[in-house]
């Protein structure tokens, strides 16, 4: 594969890392979902089932409320991640990096570069 493909892989990895940091921040700092603690059991069941979560295993209202809050946080994180990936700027300087610099950067991010090598690059 060529330099532009390595650059694209590096840009994708940088976008994924940025999205992961944003998602972790959102999950760690997400406020309690408004109204969940005041919802009735029937309302909680309806909301959980609408999100594809079976309610039969929950024995207490607080378990359902916790599950709904967790699901709402996951949904918010997913929306944020999708927004970040769709609106992420191109990684600065990647297009001007030399092949060796790209390989070093990819390897530092845990991406094996062996698949990116061509015979003419090794010569």
């Amino acid at each position: 594969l060529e330099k532009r493909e390595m650059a694209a892989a590096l840009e994708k990895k940088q976008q994924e890392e940025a999205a992961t940091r944003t998602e972790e921040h959102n999950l760690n700092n997400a406020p309690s979902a408004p109204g969940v603690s005041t919802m009735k059991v029937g309302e909680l069941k309806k909301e959980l089932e609408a999100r594809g979560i079976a309610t039969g295993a929950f024995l207490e209202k607080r378990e359902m409320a916790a599950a709904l809050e967790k699901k709402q946080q996951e949904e918010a994180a997913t929306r944020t991640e999708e927004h970040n990936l769709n609106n992420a700027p191109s990684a600065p300087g990647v297009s001007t990096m030399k092949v060796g610099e790209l390989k070093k950067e990819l390897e530092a991010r845990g991406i094996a570069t062996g698949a990116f090598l061509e015979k003419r690059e090794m010569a």
Side-chain angles (χ1 to χ4, degrees), residues 35-84:
V36 171
S37 62
T38 60
M39 292 174 82
K40 295 179 181 179
V41 172
E43 294 170 324
L44 289 167
K45 282 185 178 184
K46 183 179 176 181
E47 288 294 321
L48 288 166
E49 289 170 354
R51 288 171 167 81
I53 299 173
T55 59
F58 297 112
L59 300 177
E60 297 185 19
K61 178 182 174 181
R62 64 181 167 82
E63 293 173 331
M64 285 189 267
L68 181 56
E69 286 180 347
K70 180 181 177 187
K71 185 64 174 178
Q72 288 174 335
Q73 289 174 349
E74 290 171 358
E75 291 168 348
T78 299
R79 285 191 302 274
T80 300
E81 180 178 347
E82 289 170 355
H83 173 77
N84 289 343

Side-chain angles (χ1 to χ4, degrees), residues 7-58:
L10 178 57
E11 287 182 31
K12 181 179 178 189
K13 183 68 173 177
Q14 288 173 332
Q15 290 172 351
E16 289 171 354
E17 290 170 351
T20 299
R21 285 191 301 275
T22 301
E23 179 179 350
E24 289 170 354
H25 172 78
N26 289 345
L27 287 175
N28 292 333
N29 297 304
S32 180
V36 171
S37 62
T38 60
M39 292 174 82
K40 295 179 181 179
V41 172
E43 294 170 324
L44 289 167
K45 282 185 178 184
K46 183 179 176 181
E47 288 294 321
L48 288 166
E49 289 170 354
R51 288 171 167 81
I53 299 173
T55 59
F58 297 112

